[in-house]
Amino acid sequence: MSTAVQTRTRDPRIILNALQQRVPHLVTDVDVADLWEREVRLLLRDTVAVRSLAERILGQGIAYLITAVENPGMDMGVGKTVDIGVHQLILDTPLYFAFCDEYNGGRYKHHAPLIERRCDGTVLRTAELLRKNGFTVDDELWEVDASDCSPCDDKVPDSH
């Protein structure tokens, strides 16, 4: 007799939209359905030309930030592609503040990049951490930057 094993996959869209009550003015002022749609549209406006790619990048950025707050002190980092999604969330400061408040116990999660990129395999190790943390990993987005790794540094307290 076999036993079915159910795997829990975390949905970045649900995680982001759970913040909506904390920042309702960001949704109503720009006439979009939810926070996910807002961030996708901002990516399309500024950096990403294709909607499906913007959604993939945003989802991986959220997965990275959640994994970073749930694993303090873990050496993690993203490549250039996923970093676009991470930066989008950080630059939307009311949203990022609500994110830190909700998911990091009210503590601000600092972003403290190094100037030089680290070419030490950090990107692929980080993708595996996301997978272990319950997220679907978009391997293509992580592998494209595998040889030109993250500039992230964890020397600043509570940083990624």
Side-chain angles (χ1 to χ4, degrees), residues 76-122:
M76 296 176 56
V78 297
K80 292 176 185 178
T81 305
V82 174
D83 210 21
I84 294 168
V86 173
H87 287 169
Q88 176 56 50
L89 295 162
I90 293 170
L91 289 173
D92 198 345
T93 58
L95 174 69
Y96 188 61
F97 187 82
F99 178 92
C100 291
D101 193 42
E102 177 72 19
Y103 297 116
N104 199 34
R107 295 176 315 277
Y108 188 79
K109 185 74 166 174
H110 292 280
H111 183 54
L114 299 166
I115 293 173
E116 296 294 324
R117 291 192 169 272
R118 298 165 40 192
C119 297
D120 62 358
T122 303

Side-chain angles (χ1 to χ4, degrees), residues 41-94:
R41 287 190 191 183
L42 288 170
L43 282 169
L44 290 168
R45 182 194 74 188
D46 293 337
T47 55
V48 183
V50 178
R51 182 179 182 87
S52 60
L53 182 57
E55 290 180 339
R56 291 168 60 200
I57 289 170
L58 180 61
Q60 295 300 285
I62 293 165
Y64 168 77
L65 286 172
I66 287 290
T67 301
V69 300
E70 291 178 353
N71 295 276
M74 183 68 69
D75 185 23
M76 296 176 56
V78 297
K80 292 176 185 178
T81 305
V82 174
D83 210 21
I84 294 168
V86 173
H87 287 169
Q88 176 56 50
L89 295 162
I90 293 170
L91 289 173
D92 198 345
T93 58

Side-chain angles (χ1 to χ4, degrees), residues 8 19 42 44 63 80 96 107 119 125-126 129 135 151-152:
R8 177 182 70 126
L19 302 174
L42 288 170
L44 290 168
K80 292 176 185 178
Y96 188 61
R107 295 176 315 277
C119 297
R125 286 193 306 273
T126 299
L129 285 171
F135 290 99
C152 293

